[in-house]
Every structure is written in C-alpha cells, then in structure tokens.
Amino acid sequence: MSSAALVCAVALELWTSDASSWYARRLDSMREVCEYVAHAAESRGHDPALIVSLAWEESRLTWAESAAGALGPLQVLPSHWCPGGEAEGCDLVLAGLEAFESFSERWPEIPETLCHYNSGNECGPRSRAYSGRILRRYDELLEALDGKCGC
C-alpha cells in the first residue's frame, strides 16, 4: 500500500468512525478523492497527512462547491487560482496546492500558512481557529500513523 493510500485509510477510519449514513454512502468516493489529494501533495513535496487534513476541513474529502464559489476538495476560488480564472479545465487539487504553496512562501510557519489559506491577507480569530482545527486533526492523524509508514 502506498503511503498516500495508507494516510487515507487511516484518516477515513479516524474521521468517519461515527458511521453516519452520510459517510457510509460516500466512503468510496471520499477514499478516491483522498488518495488523489494525498498523491498530488506527495508529488509536490508536501506532507500528504497535512494536506489531507486541510481537505477534510474544507470539504470532507468531496468535490464540494461553497456558496462563495470555492470548488473542489481544497475549496479554491477558480477566479484566483485557475488558469484564465475559470474552473473548466482546471485541476482543482493542483490549484489548491498552488494556493497553499503561495501562502506558504509568504507565511512559512504552518499555522500561519493555514490561517492565510482560509482568509487571504488578513488572518483574524476565525481563521486562526480554522488553522487550529486542521492542526489538531493533523496531529491526530500523525499519531494514528506512527510506525505504520514512512510518511
């Protein structure tokens, strides 16, 4: 099993353990999305567990669309992160990783990167709470993965 697949297997086991019917109906699709996100993150040199934790917070590992027009598992605004500002033909996962990288270059500490990923240039209390939720989930995932892979 690849490290991305293992990250996803453990993440989904942890985060869908309440076995609600919503999760049960979507588990196969969530696994596919998770593995795509994790592989893309890994291929670009990111910790797949961190990016999967981000995608969980943003979309519960689905191809979601927000009321604000953010799309995909990483909830990116195509007008900001897709070629030509259009969703059509845009790989929304790669666009999300590009957004993450852009914020990471400007704010290299992970809590700040995540805060600004959520809010843009201004990082307020709501976005700091968002960052904290992702980091707690990430820590939980790393603990569950401890000794299972070289992730």
Side-chain angles (χ1 to χ4, degrees):
M1 178 181 289
S2 73
S3 63
L6 182 58
V7 165
C8 292
V10 171
L12 290 170
E13 183 179 317
L14 277 172
W15 303 335
T16 63
S17 62
D18 71 3
S20 76
S21 59
W22 190 91
Y23 290 133
R25 289 191 311 271
R26 292 166 180 81
L27 214 61
D28 288 338
S29 175
M30 291 166 76
R31 184 172 291 104
E32 285 178 25
V33 169
C34 184
E35 289 184 13
Y36 183 59
V37 168
H39 282 293
E42 197 169 50
S43 73
R44 290 179 74 122
H46 300 294
D47 180 343
L50 176 62
I51 302 302
V52 164
S53 299
L54 170 62
W56 179 265
E57 179 69 23
E58 288 289 350
S59 69
R60 296 301 187 258
L61 297 167
T62 65
W63 291 98
E65 180 174 357
S66 77
L71 301 173
L74 295 168
Q75 288 292 281
V76 294
L77 291 170
S79 60
H80 289 99
W81 300 107
C82 291
E86 299 291 328
E88 187 174 336
C90 179
D91 184 318
L92 296 168
V93 171
L94 294 181
L97 291 171
E98 287 176 23
F100 181 84
E101 290 161 4
S102 176
F103 290 116
S104 179
E105 287 172 15
R106 193 159 174 202
W107 295 282
E109 298 297 321
I110 292 174
E112 289 298 308
T113 300
L114 293 170
C115 190
H116 289 280
Y117 185 93
N118 179 252
S119 65
N121 289 328
E122 298 295 322
C123 192
R126 185 183 62 79
S127 295
R128 291 199 188 286
Y130 161 94
S131 176
R133 286 190 306 275
I134 294 168
L135 292 173
R136 283 188 297 279
R137 193 166 300 280
Y138 173 57
D139 287 343
E140 173 187 47
L141 181 51
L142 289 180
E143 186 176 319
L145 285 165
D146 189 34
K148 294 184 180 176
C149 72
C151 313

